Amino acid sequence: FFGNVNLSFAEKLVRECFHTRGPGRHPRKPLGVFRAFIVMRMKGVRSLREMARLLNVDPRLRRLCLIGEGEKGYPRSVLSRFTRRVGAERLRRIIREKVVELLKRNRAGDVDAVLDASFIKAWSIRHPKDSGKGYSDGEARVGRAGKTYGLGYKLHLSVDFERRLPLASVVAPANENEKKHCNKLLERTKQVLRNAGARLRSIVADRQYSSRKIRNAAGEAVIPYPGNQKRGVKGLLRVDKKFRTYGPEDQKRKYRKRPIVEAAFSFLKTQYSLAVNKVRGLKNVAVYAFYSILSLVLTREAAENIGRPDKAASPTYFNT
């Protein structure tokens, strides 16, 4: 897997976090530790403690994480410090760089972005004196989790419909509505597309994103109007409780692109460990989510580099 992806930009960024010259103890191989976090997501390793144990006993994982013969594996303390030093912003830059490369390679022109948010369960219980927030994770909040409510965070994601590629992301507490973070998500999406020489043609989203400000921010917004907006006006896209669509045929046809982002969330949770959250705090959860997104993007890059783009949706092909 790692032989078919280019991690030179990632190596440069993570090396900036460490002392590598002059007197004093030099860090363990930053790229090797970085690889260890990708392996954790690909293999579904649930905790840093478990990963540290595997790096002492599994020869294949040791090779993947650049641990030499006779060297000790990376201890839990090294893995934990690495997470704090690298942070979410550097990971977001690495993801952005990779996505731009893939868009340029595929000669993306006009892009249809599909937007949605997915719940990430907090590693905490509710506070006994304030049931709206977490007890051991004070930044977690109670919000919508499918058809019910749960304590945690939300990953807001935009996905390129044609290439099934995550374009931009935002992590926020679960009680904050999608509209609050949509503008930041769109700004990051447009920035990625500009860097790749592409253009945002339209956005597709559910009715949680229905607002005048969001509709004006995109060239074309395929967003259903909820029942309490523009009542009695005909010719608008609407969706009922059974997910039946009503309105112009071209809008209905474009709205059918929305399941692409749900498929991306499904892959992130089932194949890249997004559903197994073992960290606390907004920054740590963002780092956790960005590693999952990066693993998905690197899988696509590896698949294209070996001439098998059909394997971009098959992480187990590289995980055997």
Side-chain angles (χ1 to χ4, degrees):
F1 175 80
F2 288 115
N4 294 304
V5 295
N6 180 7
L7 293 178
S8 56
F9 181 74
E11 183 177 12
K12 176 185 174 183
L13 283 188
V14 298
R15 277 188 176 278
E16 292 175 357
C17 308
F18 296 92
H19 160 76
T20 55
R21 293 183 180 179
R25 179 186 295 179
H26 288 197
R28 299 293 297 271
K29 300 168 185 172
L31 182 60
V33 183
F34 180 76
R35 284 187 175 196
F37 283 93
I38 301 298
V39 170
M40 283 184 68
R41 299 300 180 268
M42 300 282 284
K43 289 286 189 183
V45 179
R46 299 176 64 89
S47 66
L48 296 182
R49 194 181 302 277
E50 181 182 354
M51 189 63 190
R53 182 187 65 80
L54 290 173
L55 289 174
N56 281 323
V57 299
D58 190 322
R60 182 168 179 267
L61 292 190
R62 289 171 62 85
R63 289 194 300 272
L64 288 173
C65 299
L66 306 179
I67 300 173
E69 189 71 29
E71 278 189 295
K72 291 183 178 180
Y74 307 125
R76 182 176 177 273
S77 58
V78 168
L79 297 174
S80 180
R81 283 197 298 268
F82 184 87
T83 299
R84 292 196 298 271
R85 284 175 178 266
V86 173
E89 182 57 31
R90 283 190 177 87
L91 284 176
R92 194 173 68 82
R93 289 173 60 190
I94 293 169
I95 295 169
R96 183 178 63 197
E97 182 73 14
K98 282 292 162 193
V99 171
V100 168
E101 286 179 10
L102 289 170
L103 289 172
K104 286 181 177 178
R105 179 185 299 183
N106 287 274
R107 299 179 180 178
D110 292 336
V111 172
D112 299 311
V114 189
L115 279 56
D116 205 354
S118 185
F119 179 78
I120 301 174
K121 186 178 180 182
W123 195 32
S124 172
I125 61 172
R126 297 190 189 189
H127 200 287
K129 296 183 179 179
D130 184 355
S131 61
K133 66 180 184 180
Y135 183 53
S136 57
D137 185 352
E139 293 182 280
R141 294 292 183 270
V142 172
R144 270 285 184 184
K147 294 182 179 180
T148 183
Y149 288 86
L151 177 70
Y153 300 87
K154 277 187 180 179
L155 170 62
H156 302 259
L157 194 66
S158 68
V159 177
D160 176 5
F161 170 75
E162 185 176 343
R163 282 153 285 273
R164 275 63 168 172
L165 192 64
L167 298 172
S169 55
V170 175
V171 179
N175 65 331
E176 296 180 355
N177 190 272
E178 283 84 342
K179 294 185 186 73
K180 181 175 181 179
H181 301 282
C182 185
N183 286 329
K184 180 186 288 187
L185 189 63
L186 283 176
E187 286 174 11
R188 291 180 177 179
T189 300
K190 291 177 180 178
Q191 181 184 13
V192 167
L193 295 178
R194 281 196 301 268
N195 293 346
R199 185 178 70 90
L200 180 64
R201 177 169 53 195
S202 67
I203 61 171
V204 182
D206 63 22
R207 57 190 175 188
Q208 285 291 332
Y209 292 85
S210 182
S211 75
R212 183 181 303 170
K213 192 173 181 179
I214 293 171
R215 293 177 189 277
N216 292 337
E220 180 185 4
V222 183
I223 304 173
Y225 284 88
N228 61 350
Q229 291 182 2
K230 297 195 174 184
R231 291 179 179 175
V233 180
K234 296 182 179 180
L236 300 178
L237 179 65
R238 296 191 186 274
V239 178
D240 64 15
K241 293 181 179 180
K242 295 184 178 180
F243 301 102
R244 293 174 297 196
T245 55
Y246 303 90
E249 287 299 324
D250 61 328
Q251 293 267 303
K252 289 166 62 177
R253 185 176 63 255
K254 292 175 182 176
Y255 187 70
R256 296 190 187 105
K257 296 178 179 180
R258 206 182 70 80
I260 289 300
V261 69
E262 295 177 355
F265 283 128
S266 177
F267 266 91
L268 289 171
K269 289 185 176 183
T270 60
Q271 304 295 331
Y272 300 107
S273 308
L274 185 63
V276 189
N277 175 36
K278 287 276 189 175
V279 296
R280 300 184 179 97
L282 181 60
K283 290 182 179 179
N284 290 331
V285 172
V287 168
Y288 172 81
F290 289 168
Y291 271 121
S292 296
I293 295 171
L294 179 59
S295 300
L296 188 153
V297 173
L298 291 178
T299 302
R300 173 162 290 279
E301 181 186 4
E304 293 190 2
N305 284 341
I306 64 173
R308 294 294 304 274
D310 57 303
K311 296 299 182 183
S314 178
T316 53
Y317 180 82
F318 301 97
N319 205 15
T320 56

